[in-house]
């Protein structure tokens, strides 16, 4: 089923287009794939990037919108990505990058298109585990800049993943959240040090 890709804020898209047309911004990005792209490059598939700031003892998540990410396409594949951030003056270009998360995001989005239910794609970053997931939110009409993962939403871990968590295997939030909770909870000492 097609994904309900949310529209990015117009200023975020404009800032990426401006950066792409700036030889200085592209050259300073240190992204060989973008610098060596043969043909036109276009920002596509805007995804809101939410950050998982914490997991409570009850498992409830605290998330916040950190920015919008655009895959930069050249020909038939994504060669880089561009991030934007919200500043006091509005949405602004942050940086270009390449690496395994670009290809992994593209693969996870293709995989998500085969899911029988409609969903809104987002990215969910779990900084405490150095983990990024494709978050498939079940409500296509929801504000992409707000909300928390629902128990029935899907999370698809993007490669590279932390040890013991398989990349590209969709998990319901209700299944993956306890694993993340366990990993993010500090281990208590059995005895106090003497």
């Amino acid at each position: 089923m097609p994904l309900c890709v949310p529209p990015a804020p117009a200023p975020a898209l404009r800032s990426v287009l401006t950066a792409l047309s700036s030889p200085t911004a592209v050259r300073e990005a240190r992204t060989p794939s973008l610098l060596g792209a043969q043909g036109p490059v276009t920002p596509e598939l805007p995804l809101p990037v939410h950050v998982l700031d914490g997991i409570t003892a009850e498992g409830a998540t605290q998330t916040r919108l950190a920015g919008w990410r655009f895959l930069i396409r050249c020909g038939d594949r994504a060669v880089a990505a561009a991030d934007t951030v919200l500043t006091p003056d509005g949405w602004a270009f942050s940086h270009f990058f390449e690496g395994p998360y670009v290809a992994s995001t593209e693969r996870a989005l293709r995989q998500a298109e085969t899911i029988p239910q409609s969903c809104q794609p987002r990215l969910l970053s779990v900084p405490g585990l150095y983990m990024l997931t494709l978050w498939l939110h079940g409500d296509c009409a929801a504000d992409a800049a707000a909300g928390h993962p629902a128990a029935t939403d899907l999370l698809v871990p993007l490669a590279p993943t932390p040890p013991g968590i398989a990349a590209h295997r969709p998990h319901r939030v209700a299944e993956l959240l306890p694993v993340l909770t366990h990993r993010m909870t500090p281990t208590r000492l059995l005895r106090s040090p003497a």
Side-chain angles (χ1 to χ4, degrees):
M1 184 152 291
L3 298 174
C4 304
V5 178
L13 176 59
R14 277 195 304 272
S15 72
V16 171
L17 290 169
T18 300
L20 280 171
S21 66
S22 165
T24 304
V26 172
R27 188 175 53 253
E28 290 179 359
R30 296 191 179 104
T31 53
S33 296
L34 184 58
L35 197 54
Q38 299 294 318
V41 291
T42 56
E44 295 181 354
L45 294 167
L47 298 170
V49 180
H50 293 261
V51 175
L52 182 66
D53 281 328
I55 300 176
T56 66
E58 298 80 34
T61 58
Q62 301 167 10
T63 61
R64 64 180 166 80
L65 180 67
W68 282 81
R69 177 167 296 167
F70 298 79
L71 292 181
I72 307 299
R73 184 166 301 285
C74 179
D76 62 349
R77 69 181 186 92
V79 295
D83 277 356
T84 62
V85 294
L86 187 58
T87 68
D89 295 325
W91 288 101
F93 170 75
S94 173
H95 63 280
F96 292 115
F97 68 94
E98 61 184 47
Y101 283 133
V102 174
S104 189
T105 301
E106 193 171 38
R107 176 181 170 188
L109 286 166
R110 281 194 309 270
Q111 183 181 355
E113 289 175 340
T114 66
I115 295 172
Q117 66 203 45
S118 294
C119 53
Q120 183 187 79
R122 303 171 176 195
L123 293 172
L124 181 66
S125 173
V126 186
L129 297 176
Y130 302 101
M131 180 178 176
L132 185 65
T133 68
L134 178 63
W135 168 16
L136 301 172
H137 189 53
D139 182 1
C140 284
D143 177 2
H148 301 287
T152 57
D153 287 353
L154 293 175
L155 295 176
V156 182
L158 302 179
T161 58
I165 297 176
H168 298 286
R169 182 178 174 270
H171 300 270
R172 296 252 178 241
V173 168
E175 297 167 356
L176 189 57
L177 198 57
V179 174
L180 300 180
T181 302
H182 176 72
R183 290 194 172 204
M184 290 178 69
T185 305
T187 306
R188 296 181 189 263
L189 295 174
L190 296 175
R191 296 184 301 167
S192 298

